[in-house]
Amino acid sequence: GTKDGPWTAWPDNPNSPPQLAKAVADLGFDSCSTASNHTLDQGFDGVVNTIKALDGAGVPHSGTAATPEEAKRINIIEANGVKVAHLAYTYGLGGVDPPNDFCCNVIDPTLIIADAEAARRIGADMVVVSLHAGDEGIATPNDFQKYVVQTLADSGQVNLVIGHHAHVVQPVTKVGNMWVAYGHGNLLDAQSRRDPRSEDGLLTMFTFTEQPDGTFLGTKAVGYAITNYDYPFRSEEHTSELQSRQYLV
């Protein structure tokens, strides 16, 4: 949305204040996915406004583009001297037809693998893919999720898949040499009046170790449970070993 609003939230057509981008930056997020079924809620203007807000806050992002040239750029961030490409895609756009062929990344395993290969050609040591997919309220990944994840794992081009959309926690597991967190539930959105399981969220932390051939292999995964409460809204993080393990498969 625009800086002065008016702003709206679901069940109305969501229209968020761009000031949130600064909050995201201040919290320390290094990159954001902008690809979801809500990407076109405010049309192409909303896509452009979101990108402007994130750029203004200094937050790299993946999944949408304001121009054809921007769509070709690959978001690469650095972590401990390792160059990590962040790619992002969504299963759909909420039934809205995209206004052009460059604004919004929709899931296509062939395209994702090609983008991952392109990222490696320009120097990425690792590739992380954000996938907005799954059935809302269902803790089991659907066949489409599993197909896409298996295809990416088989390609050998992707190190990690980060999933979201279902609003409930889905499994964290390993497919071949690739880690996948199918669904992170809700980080800051208590929907317990509709579905008590939506109180749950998940923070994941993955450790990758450089191999003798220069590749990186996932060697450890830890999950931290988040519980969101209504009335009044508050959030708790559960960091005990036992509570963390219940989300790992």
Side-chain angles (χ1 to χ4, degrees):
T2 58
K3 184 177 67 173
D4 299 320
W7 307 312
T8 55
W10 191 91
D12 294 325
N13 214 21
N15 190 27
S16 300
Q19 292 90 325
L20 289 175
K22 183 179 184 303
V24 167
D26 291 346
L27 283 169
F29 282 91
D30 297 299
S31 185
C32 286
S33 166
T34 54
S36 81
N37 58 307
H38 291 287
T39 293
L40 287 174
D41 280 354
Q42 296 301 318
F44 185 58
D45 285 346
V47 172
V48 174
N49 286 344
T50 300
I51 289 171
K52 285 181 178 179
L54 290 170
D55 287 346
V59 180
H61 49 85
S62 306
T64 56
T67 66
E69 293 73 26
E70 187 175 37
K72 296 175 183 177
R73 290 200 292 267
I74 295 175
N75 177 16
I76 297 181
I77 57 179
E78 193 168 299
N80 295 327
V82 179
K83 293 181 179 178
V84 182
H86 178 211
L87 310 176
Y89 310 83
T90 176
Y91 76 95
L93 297 165
V96 180
D97 291 330
N100 50 58
D101 60 2
F102 62 81
C103 71
C104 312
N105 289 353
V106 176
I107 295 172
D108 175 346
T110 301
L111 171 64
I112 297 171
I113 292 168
D115 288 347
E117 291 172 340
R120 292 185 183 276
R121 284 196 298 271
I122 63 173
D125 300 303
M126 291 177 50
V127 176
V128 176
V129 174
S130 289
L131 291 182
H132 196 86
D135 298 319
E136 289 197 28
I138 304 299
T140 302
N142 63 29
D143 289 343
F144 179 66
Q145 285 175 280
K146 290 185 283 188
Y147 159 70
V148 173
V149 165
Q150 185 66 61
T151 304
L152 298 184
D154 291 344
S155 76
Q157 297 298 315
V158 177
N159 299 88
L160 172 66
V161 169
I162 298 292
H164 34 84
H165 171 65
H167 294 287
V168 295
V169 173
Q170 293 185 330
V172 178
T173 188
K174 208 170 188 181
V175 180
N177 288 323
M178 185 186 77
W179 278 104
V180 54
Y182 277 102
H184 283 78
N186 285 334
L187 178 63
L188 286 173
D189 188 6
Q191 298 172 305
S192 56
R193 286 163 287 178
R194 186 175 67 176
D195 183 351
R197 294 173 304 168
S198 69
E199 290 181 346
D200 294 334
L202 185 64
L203 295 176
T204 51
M205 182 169 65
F206 299 89
T207 301
F208 289 86
T209 304
E210 188 172 6
Q211 303 301 296
D213 63 357
T215 61
F216 286 82
L217 184 67
T219 52
K220 184 180 180 182
V222 178
Y224 298 88
I226 300 292
T227 303
N228 297 290
Y229 297 98
D230 279 326
Y231 307 118
F233 174 80
R234 63 194 191 281
S235 183
E236 291 181 1
E237 179 180 349
H238 308 284
T239 57
S240 75
E241 194 77 13
L242 178 63
Q243 287 172 309
S244 298
R245 283 179 178 166
Q246 68 178 323
Y247 290 103
L248 297 176
V249 177

